[in-house]
Amino acid sequence: MTISRRIVLLAPIIAATIPRTAAAADGADAPAAIRRFYDELMAVMKDAKGLSFDQRYQRLAPAVTRTLELGLMARLSVGPDWTQLRPEQQRQLTDVFSRYTIAVYANRFDGFSGERFEVDPAPAASPNGTIVTSRIVKSNGEKVSINYLMRQGAGGWQAIDIYLSGTISELASRRSEFVAVLHQSGADGLIKLLEQRTAAQRSS
C-alpha cells in the first residue's frame, strides 16, 4: 500500500461557514498538536504487524478524536442541509462519521516502511484559522505534503480540514456525494452508507 493511500483527507472548509472567532490570533502552539498526532500514528505503524484492525482502531481513536474536530467536519460534510435534520439525526451522523474516520486511519496506517513525518514549526495565518504544513517522507525520499487548517477551541488546537499536496481536499467531492445521498435517501440513507463504509474498512 503506497503512503498516499494511507492519508486520510477530511472535510473541505467553505470560508463563509467558519466563524471568524474560531481563528486564534497566535497559532504558535498548533504545530505541536500535529507533531503529537504523528508520534501516535508512527507508534501504531511500527506496531501494526502485531495488531489487528480492532486493536489499531482502539489505539488510534483517542488521537484522531483529539486532533480532528470531527463534529464540525460532519456538519460541513452535509452542508446547509444539516440544519434541516432532527437533533437525533445530527447525533447519529456525527457518531458514524467519527467512527468511519477512525476506521479509515486504522485501515490505512497498517504498516511501517521507513517513513518519517516532518512538521513545519512556523504556522501560517489564514482567514479561517491557522495553517500547519507538514510532510510524510517516504523511505525513497519522496515527500507528500499535507496541510492542516486548525483552530483553537476548548479542547486545544484541532484540525478542521486536511489538504493533500497543499490544496486537495477529498471531502470536497465527498460533500457532493453526501448531499446527493441525503437528497435521494434522507438522513437514514446517509447513515447507512457510512455504516457500510466503516464495515468495509475492516475487511479491505
Side-chain angles (χ1 to χ4, degrees), residues 166-179:
T167 58
I168 302 171
S169 176
E170 186 175 294
L171 228 66
S173 59
R174 186 178 292 174
R175 176 172 180 172
S176 297
E177 180 187 20
F178 283 7
V179 170

PDB file of all heavy atoms in Angstrom, residues 166-179:
ATOM      1  N   GLY A 166      -1.023  20.181  -0.462  1.00  0.00           N
ATOM      2  CA  GLY A 166      -1.241  21.576  -0.142  1.00  0.00           C
ATOM      3  C   GLY A 166      -2.636  22.097  -0.400  1.00  0.00           C
ATOM      4  O   GLY A 166      -3.081  23.040   0.242  1.00  0.00           O
ATOM      5  N   THR A 167      -3.370  21.486  -1.341  1.00  0.00           N
ATOM      6  CA  THR A 167      -4.651  22.066  -1.742  1.00  0.00           C
ATOM      7  C   THR A 167      -5.787  21.060  -1.906  1.00  0.00           C
ATOM      8  O   THR A 167      -6.950  21.460  -1.960  1.00  0.00           O
ATOM      9  CB  THR A 167      -4.498  22.810  -3.086  1.00  0.00           C
ATOM     10  OG1 THR A 167      -4.024  21.889  -4.079  1.00  0.00           O
ATOM     11  CG2 THR A 167      -3.515  23.976  -2.972  1.00  0.00           C
ATOM     12  N   ILE A 168      -5.495  19.771  -2.034  1.00  0.00           N
ATOM     13  CA  ILE A 168      -6.523  18.798  -2.409  1.00  0.00           C
ATOM     14  C   ILE A 168      -7.261  18.278  -1.179  1.00  0.00           C
ATOM     15  O   ILE A 168      -6.673  17.639  -0.318  1.00  0.00           O
ATOM     16  CB  ILE A 168      -5.904  17.614  -3.179  1.00  0.00           C
ATOM     17  CG1 ILE A 168      -5.181  18.113  -4.433  1.00  0.00           C
ATOM     18  CG2 ILE A 168      -6.992  16.604  -3.559  1.00  0.00           C
ATOM     19  CD1 ILE A 168      -4.358  17.050  -5.120  1.00  0.00           C
ATOM     20  N   SER A 169      -8.548  18.533  -1.112  1.00  0.00           N
ATOM     21  CA  SER A 169      -9.378  18.032  -0.020  1.00  0.00           C
ATOM     22  C   SER A 169     -10.333  16.981  -0.569  1.00  0.00           C
ATOM     23  O   SER A 169     -11.185  17.277  -1.400  1.00  0.00           O
ATOM     24  CB  SER A 169     -10.170  19.171   0.621  1.00  0.00           C
ATOM     25  OG  SER A 169     -11.038  18.668   1.601  1.00  0.00           O
ATOM     26  N   GLU A 170     -10.184  15.760  -0.086  1.00  0.00           N
ATOM     27  CA  GLU A 170     -11.019  14.669  -0.580  1.00  0.00           C
ATOM     28  C   GLU A 170     -12.490  14.909  -0.293  1.00  0.00           C
ATOM     29  O   GLU A 170     -13.360  14.509  -1.062  1.00  0.00           O
ATOM     30  CB  GLU A 170     -10.563  13.354   0.041  1.00  0.00           C
ATOM     31  CG  GLU A 170     -11.270  12.132  -0.504  1.00  0.00           C
ATOM     32  CD  GLU A 170     -10.695  10.857   0.069  1.00  0.00           C
ATOM     33  OE1 GLU A 170      -9.524  10.553  -0.216  1.00  0.00           O
ATOM     34  OE2 GLU A 170     -11.412  10.179   0.811  1.00  0.00           O
ATOM     35  N   LEU A 171     -12.765  15.592   0.799  1.00  0.00           N
ATOM     36  CA  LEU A 171     -14.160  15.776   1.160  1.00  0.00           C
ATOM     37  C   LEU A 171     -14.863  16.860   0.349  1.00  0.00           C
ATOM     38  O   LEU A 171     -16.065  17.035   0.482  1.00  0.00           O
ATOM     39  CB  LEU A 171     -14.310  16.051   2.655  1.00  0.00           C
ATOM     40  CG  LEU A 171     -15.399  15.179   3.300  1.00  0.00           C
ATOM     41  CD1 LEU A 171     -14.995  13.722   3.253  1.00  0.00           C
ATOM     42  CD2 LEU A 171     -15.686  15.617   4.713  1.00  0.00           C
ATOM     43  N   ALA A 172     -14.110  17.581  -0.483  1.00  0.00           N
ATOM     44  CA  ALA A 172     -14.772  18.492  -1.406  1.00  0.00           C
ATOM     45  C   ALA A 172     -15.681  17.671  -2.321  1.00  0.00           C
ATOM     46  O   ALA A 172     -16.826  18.042  -2.579  1.00  0.00           O
ATOM     47  CB  ALA A 172     -13.750  19.266  -2.219  1.00  0.00           C
ATOM     48  N   SER A 173     -15.175  16.554  -2.807  1.00  0.00           N
ATOM     49  CA  SER A 173     -16.006  15.662  -3.607  1.00  0.00           C
ATOM     50  C   SER A 173     -16.915  14.824  -2.725  1.00  0.00           C
ATOM     51  O   SER A 173     -18.045  14.498  -3.099  1.00  0.00           O
ATOM     52  CB  SER A 173     -15.146  14.746  -4.479  1.00  0.00           C
ATOM     53  OG  SER A 173     -14.278  13.973  -3.677  1.00  0.00           O
ATOM     54  N   ARG A 174     -16.431  14.473  -1.514  1.00  0.00           N
ATOM     55  CA  ARG A 174     -17.252  13.690  -0.603  1.00  0.00           C
ATOM     56  C   ARG A 174     -18.511  14.464  -0.209  1.00  0.00           C
ATOM     57  O   ARG A 174     -19.587  13.886  -0.075  1.00  0.00           O
ATOM     58  CB  ARG A 174     -16.453  13.318   0.638  1.00  0.00           C
ATOM     59  CG  ARG A 174     -17.166  12.385   1.584  1.00  0.00           C
ATOM     60  CD  ARG A 174     -16.307  12.029   2.771  1.00  0.00           C
ATOM     61  NE  ARG A 174     -15.156  11.209   2.412  1.00  0.00           N
ATOM     62  CZ  ARG A 174     -14.207  10.861   3.258  1.00  0.00           C
ATOM     63  NH1 ARG A 174     -14.244  11.294   4.502  1.00  0.00           N
ATOM     64  NH2 ARG A 174     -13.212  10.099   2.857  1.00  0.00           N
ATOM     65  N   ARG A 175     -18.368  15.772  -0.029  1.00  0.00           N
ATOM     66  CA  ARG A 175     -19.532  16.564   0.333  1.00  0.00           C
ATOM     67  C   ARG A 175     -20.594  16.486  -0.756  1.00  0.00           C
ATOM     68  O   ARG A 175     -21.779  16.338  -0.460  1.00  0.00           O
ATOM     69  CB  ARG A 175     -19.133  18.018   0.574  1.00  0.00           C
ATOM     70  CG  ARG A 175     -20.329  18.910   0.867  1.00  0.00           C
ATOM     71  CD  ARG A 175     -19.904  20.290   1.296  1.00  0.00           C
ATOM     72  NE  ARG A 175     -21.070  21.117   1.560  1.00  0.00           N
ATOM     73  CZ  ARG A 175     -21.024  22.314   2.101  1.00  0.00           C
ATOM     74  NH1 ARG A 175     -19.867  22.828   2.441  1.00  0.00           N
ATOM     75  NH2 ARG A 175     -22.112  23.016   2.301  1.00  0.00           N
ATOM     76  N   SER A 176     -20.174  16.573  -2.004  1.00  0.00           N
ATOM     77  CA  SER A 176     -21.133  16.455  -3.100  1.00  0.00           C
ATOM     78  C   SER A 176     -21.852  15.115  -3.051  1.00  0.00           C
ATOM     79  O   SER A 176     -23.065  15.027  -3.273  1.00  0.00           O
ATOM     80  CB  SER A 176     -20.415  16.614  -4.450  1.00  0.00           C
ATOM     81  OG  SER A 176     -19.845  17.892  -4.567  1.00  0.00           O
ATOM     82  N   GLU A 177     -21.097  14.061  -2.742  1.00  0.00           N
ATOM     83  CA  GLU A 177     -21.701  12.732  -2.637  1.00  0.00           C
ATOM     84  C   GLU A 177     -22.676  12.666  -1.471  1.00  0.00           C
ATOM     85  O   GLU A 177     -23.788  12.153  -1.595  1.00  0.00           O
ATOM     86  CB  GLU A 177     -20.613  11.673  -2.463  1.00  0.00           C
ATOM     87  CG  GLU A 177     -21.168  10.271  -2.335  1.00  0.00           C
ATOM     88  CD  GLU A 177     -20.102   9.253  -1.996  1.00  0.00           C
ATOM     89  OE1 GLU A 177     -19.027   9.641  -1.484  1.00  0.00           O
ATOM     90  OE2 GLU A 177     -20.349   8.055  -2.235  1.00  0.00           O
ATOM     91  N   PHE A 178     -22.269  13.184  -0.325  1.00  0.00           N
ATOM     92  CA  PHE A 178     -23.131  13.139   0.854  1.00  0.00           C
ATOM     93  C   PHE A 178     -24.443  13.875   0.603  1.00  0.00           C
ATOM     94  O   PHE A 178     -25.518  13.402   0.983  1.00  0.00           O
ATOM     95  CB  PHE A 178     -22.422  13.766   2.050  1.00  0.00           C
ATOM     96  CG  PHE A 178     -21.370  12.890   2.685  1.00  0.00           C
ATOM     97  CD1 PHE A 178     -20.983  11.688   2.110  1.00  0.00           C
ATOM     98  CD2 PHE A 178     -20.756  13.272   3.867  1.00  0.00           C
ATOM     99  CE1 PHE A 178     -20.023  10.884   2.687  1.00  0.00           C
ATOM    100  CE2 PHE A 178     -19.792  12.479   4.469  1.00  0.00           C
ATOM    101  CZ  PHE A 178     -19.424  11.282   3.876  1.00  0.00           C
ATOM    102  N   VAL A 179     -24.349  15.037  -0.015  1.00  0.00           N
ATOM    103  CA  VAL A 179     -25.552  15.824  -0.278  1.00  0.00           C
ATOM    104  C   VAL A 179     -26.475  15.074  -1.237  1.00  0.00           C
ATOM    105  O   VAL A 179     -27.693  15.050  -1.048  1.00  0.00           O
ATOM    106  CB  VAL A 179     -25.180  17.207  -0.848  1.00  0.00           C
ATOM    107  CG1 VAL A 179     -26.426  17.935  -1.362  1.00  0.00           C
ATOM    108  CG2 VAL A 179     -24.486  18.045   0.220  1.00  0.00           C
TER     109      VAL A 179
END
